[in-house]
């Protein structure tokens, strides 16, 4: 007698129509052993270098590891896509983000979106769909959207449900000073600024599926090891002699590099230099908060 786990997928014996012919059957022995490629702890330093190279052309430079994770669409993690956007002075970068929302950070230059002007150090949120960014000085931006989530569901963004949100660099510095003057307790995960909006204030997210935080680490200090079920995409903004430990491996930081922390993997961050480290982190945490599956825990 054959074990259930050895049975191949089963089909209906005498389907009466096309709808019935599409039916497939698994069982409790063979349905739950789906094998998926793990999410690598990736480093996109080469992509960052190309975006910042002298004479880099206006365009999108994706941090794509879809081949490594078996996705038939561009993806940095299964549910998020990060990329650098280069815009030469006087030019406009226009593209279809195919996301519900697009998180941005200005790494160099200045310019304008439809609703506001932006400059170096600013953070913003744009609604998904058509994006047009015009630079008044040579610019490099970092952009993260949830295109892989929509692609997985076979969806396209409908009418915009998110309004643009702008976080100017000066206001970010003011907010960092506010929390820097406060005390914390052992349950606080470092000193980090969390970005949200009036529309999602109750959820403390920046989009329904994505969270955004600006994490800091004092000189010569470490962030203790922890884990969470959300995948994380990290942008290095500031630091000297810094690194992350992800699943026991050391990942050295370089300015403006993009790093990936796989979901569920133990990790920690370390500042061996003499200046405060700063790193921007986008997670698909909104989905996990909503599903009650974030699973955050300190490991030491």
């Amino acid at each position: 007698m054959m074990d259930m786990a050895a049975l191949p997928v089963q089909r209906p014996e005498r389907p009466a129509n096309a709808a019935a012919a599409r039916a497939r059957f698994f069982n409790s022995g063979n349905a739950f052993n789906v094998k998926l490629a793990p999410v690598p702890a990736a480093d996109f330093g080469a992509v960052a270098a190309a975006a910042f190279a002298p004479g880099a052309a206006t365009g999108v430079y994706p941090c794509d590891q879809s081949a490594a994770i078996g996705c038939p669409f561009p993806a940095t993690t299964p549910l998020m896509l990060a990329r650098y956007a280069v815009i030469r002075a006087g030019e406009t970068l226009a593209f279809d983000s195919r996301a519900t929302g697009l998180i941005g950070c200005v790494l160099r230059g200045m310019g304008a979106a439809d609703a506001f002007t932006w400059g170096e150090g600013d953070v913003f949120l744009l609604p998904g769909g058509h994006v047009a960014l015009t630079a008044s000085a040579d610019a490099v931006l970092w952009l993260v959207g949830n295109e892989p989530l929509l692609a997985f569901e076979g969806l396209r963004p409908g009418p915009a449900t998110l309004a643009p949100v702008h976080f100017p660099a000066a206001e970010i510095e003011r907010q960092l000073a506010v929390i820097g003057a406060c005390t914390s307790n052992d349950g606080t995960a470092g000193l980090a600024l969390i970005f949200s909006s009036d529309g999602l204030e109750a959820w403390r997210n920046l989009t329904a599926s994505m969270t955004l935080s600006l994490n800091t680490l004092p000189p010569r200090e470490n962030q203790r090891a922890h884990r969470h079920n959300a995948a994380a995409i990290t942008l290095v903004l500031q630091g000297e002699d810094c690194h992350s430990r992800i699943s026991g491996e050391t990942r050295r930081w370089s300015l403006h590099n993009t790093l990936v922390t796989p979901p569920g993997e133990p990790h920690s961050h370390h500042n061996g230099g003499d200046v405060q480290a700063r790193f921007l982190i986008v997670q698909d945490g909104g989905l996990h908060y909503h599903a009650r599956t974030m699973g955050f825990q300190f490991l030491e």
Side-chain angles (χ1 to χ4, degrees):
M1 183 177 293
M2 180 180 290
D3 188 281
M4 284 192 302
L7 278 175
V9 58
Q10 298 295 298
R11 298 168 181 257
E13 187 175 33
R14 295 184 183 87
N17 51 53
R22 297 188 189 104
R24 299 294 184 271
F25 300 90
F26 292 91
N27 63 70
S28 52
N30 66 6
F32 307 111
N33 60 349
V34 178
K35 300 296 191 298
L36 297 175
V39 179
D43 178 325
F44 291 96
V47 181
F52 279 92
T58 293
V60 175
Y61 296 67
C63 300
D64 182 17
Q65 58 174 354
S66 55
I69 59 179
C71 285
F73 39 76
T76 308
T77 70
L79 302 179
M80 298 181 290
L81 175 63
R83 79 285 273 168
Y84 298 85
V86 176
I87 316 171
R88 306 292 298 197
E91 297 183 1
T92 297
L93 175 64
F95 63 98
D96 182 358
S97 69
R98 298 192 179 186
T100 54
L102 198 63
I103 294 170
C105 178
V106 183
L107 305 180
R108 173 187 290 175
M110 60 184 66
D114 289 340
F116 55 89
T117 59
W118 42 262
E120 188 170 322
D122 288 7
V123 171
F124 58 78
L125 171 70
L126 296 176
H130 184 72
V131 174
L133 299 164
T134 301
S136 53
D138 286 351
V140 180
L141 290 74
W142 189 72
L143 305 172
V144 181
N146 65 341
E147 289 96 336
L149 172 59
L150 271 66
F152 179 68
E153 289 279 7
L155 303 174
R156 292 181 60 88
T161 57
L162 294 174
V165 186
H166 184 207
F167 307 91
E171 182 59 29
I172 292 173
E173 291 297 332
R174 191 183 78 83
Q175 295 292 338
L176 285 172
V178 169
I179 61 176
C182 297
T183 59
S184 62
N185 56 64
D186 289 342
T188 303
L191 192 154
L193 185 63
I194 313 302
F195 297 84
S196 188
S197 69
D198 57 349
L200 287 171
E201 181 178 337
W203 291 98
R204 306 177 189 184
N205 300 338
L206 195 48
T207 78
S209 65
M210 295 187 296
T211 61
L212 176 66
S213 65
L214 175 56
N215 288 26
T216 68
L217 195 56
R220 308 291 176 180
E221 290 196 14
N222 305 319
Q223 185 185 55
R224 54 183 166 153
H226 58 282
R227 66 170 301 281
H228 40 73
N229 292 329
I233 303 177
T234 300
L235 172 69
V236 177
L237 293 176
Q238 179 178 294
E240 299 173 355
D241 190 22
C242 297
H243 70 276
S244 297
R245 291 279 293 171
I246 303 174
S247 302
E249 294 186 5
T250 298
R251 297 278 174 168
R252 291 287 174 187
W253 289 14
S254 58
L255 184 63
H256 297 152
N257 192 5
T258 297
L259 305 173
V260 172
T261 302
E265 292 295 328
H267 58 283
S268 58
H269 307 297
H270 306 264
N271 183 358
D274 296 322
V275 300
Q276 181 192 61
R278 292 188 179 186
F279 44 113
L280 202 63
I281 299 180
V282 180
Q283 297 183 18
D284 50 17
L287 293 174
H288 289 282
Y289 285 130
H290 181 63
R292 286 69 167 174
T293 58
M294 180 56 88
F296 181 94
Q297 64 179 133
F298 288 114
L299 302 177
E300 58 185 44

